[in-house]
């Protein structure tokens, strides 16, 4: 059974993951509007990944006999001038999410909830990848600057991204 403190914290995280999904969907829609379909594709897949993160937490709360309590999702920005701006915001946001996950991990330890701590390990590792990927894309867009051909090619590269459900969900 989950402690009340742990259950509340996990429910907060569901909201944070869904807010992340909403943020990336907004980014995807803005770049679709600008005709950058590859960049839009990357963010729309990120939208799905964040929904999957929320789903992992929801499944876990249910598995532990807790109650999922969905809360309102706050508004997100709707304007990014360039992909570089959006990826800078992505990195800043993912760093915040990493801090949230670390805080959940600390709560799990203080509550002696080792099952939750173990489940969070997946997210700890996932955040390393999220931050690394955002940084790599910042580096690429910075390198290209305003070069039209470079932007065209990088947009094509991001168009190739496909969605794969996290193995942790596939196993459930
Ligand atoms: Mg996430």
């Amino acid at each position: 059974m989950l402690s009340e403190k742990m259950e509340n914290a996990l429910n907060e995280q569901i909201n944070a993951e869904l807010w992340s999904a909403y943020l990336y969907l907004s980014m995807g829609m803005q770049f679709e509007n600008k005709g950058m379909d590859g960049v839009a594709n990357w963010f729309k897949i990120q939208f799905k990944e964040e929904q999957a993160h929320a789903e992992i937490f929801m499944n876990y709360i249910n598995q532990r006999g807790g109650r999922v309590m969905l809360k309102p999702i706050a508004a997100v920005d709707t304007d990014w001038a360039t992909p570089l701006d959006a990826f800078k915001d992505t990195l800043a946001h993912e760093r915040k999410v990493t801090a949230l996950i670390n805080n959940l991990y600390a709560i799990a330890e203080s509550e002696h909830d080792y099952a939750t701590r173990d489940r969070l390990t997946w997210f700890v590792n996932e955040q390393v990848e999220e931050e690394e990927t955002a940084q790599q894309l910042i580096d690429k867009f910075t390198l290209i600057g305003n070069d039209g051909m470079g932007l065209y090619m990088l947009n094509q590269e991001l168009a190739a991204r496909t969605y794969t459900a996290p193995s942790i969900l596939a196993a459930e």
Side-chain angles (χ1 to χ4, degrees), residues 17 50 53 97 127 130:
E17 299 293 346
E50 299 303 339
H53 294 166
V97 174
Q127 284 311 117
E130 299 285 29

Side-chain angles (χ1 to χ4, degrees), residues 14-165:
I14 290 169
N15 191 267
E17 299 293 346
L18 290 174
W19 190 86
S20 301
Y22 208 36
L23 174 69
Y24 298 133
L25 181 61
S26 183
M27 289 176 176
M29 291 302 109
Q30 299 319 306
F31 290 104
E32 201 159 276
N33 177 256
K34 291 178 196 293
M36 300 190 79
D37 287 354
V39 177
N41 174 63
W42 194 93
F43 281 115
K44 284 192 283 182
I45 285 169
Q46 199 63 21
F47 162 63
K48 289 185 189 169
E49 277 204 0
E50 299 303 339
Q51 287 179 284
H53 294 166
E55 204 178 336
I56 292 167
F57 281 114
M58 291 190 277
N59 289 349
Y60 180 72
I61 290 176
N62 284 332
Q63 200 178 3
R64 293 292 305 279
R67 254 183 86 202
V68 172
M69 284 171 284
L70 299 178
K71 292 170 184 166
I73 301 169
V76 290
D77 282 348
T78 54
D79 199 22
W80 290 272
T82 65
L84 179 59
D85 291 334
F87 285 112
K88 281 181 177 171
D89 278 4
T90 297
L91 179 59
H93 177 61
E94 289 303 330
R95 284 177 174 160
K96 284 182 196 162
V97 174
T98 299
L100 293 175
I101 297 289
N102 288 342
N103 185 51
L104 283 176
Y105 197 100
I107 293 171
E109 289 208 316
S110 70
E111 299 285 299
H112 302 289
D113 185 345
Y114 303 112
T116 301
R117 189 190 65 177
D118 279 3
R119 179 51 51 104
L120 288 166
T121 300
W122 185 87
F123 286 94
V124 170
N125 295 323
E126 176 71 9
Q127 284 311 117
V128 174
E129 279 183 37
E130 299 285 29
E131 288 190 30
E132 182 188 22
T133 306
Q135 184 62 61
Q136 284 170 343
L137 288 166
I138 288 170
D139 292 346
K140 285 183 181 182
F141 278 102
T142 302
L143 188 68
I144 286 168
N146 290 319
D147 177 64
M149 181 57 85
L151 284 170
Y152 176 82
M153 290 180 74
L154 189 46
N155 183 62
Q156 292 293 100
E157 185 184 315
L158 298 184
R161 186 182 188 196
T162 54
Y163 175 71
T164 314

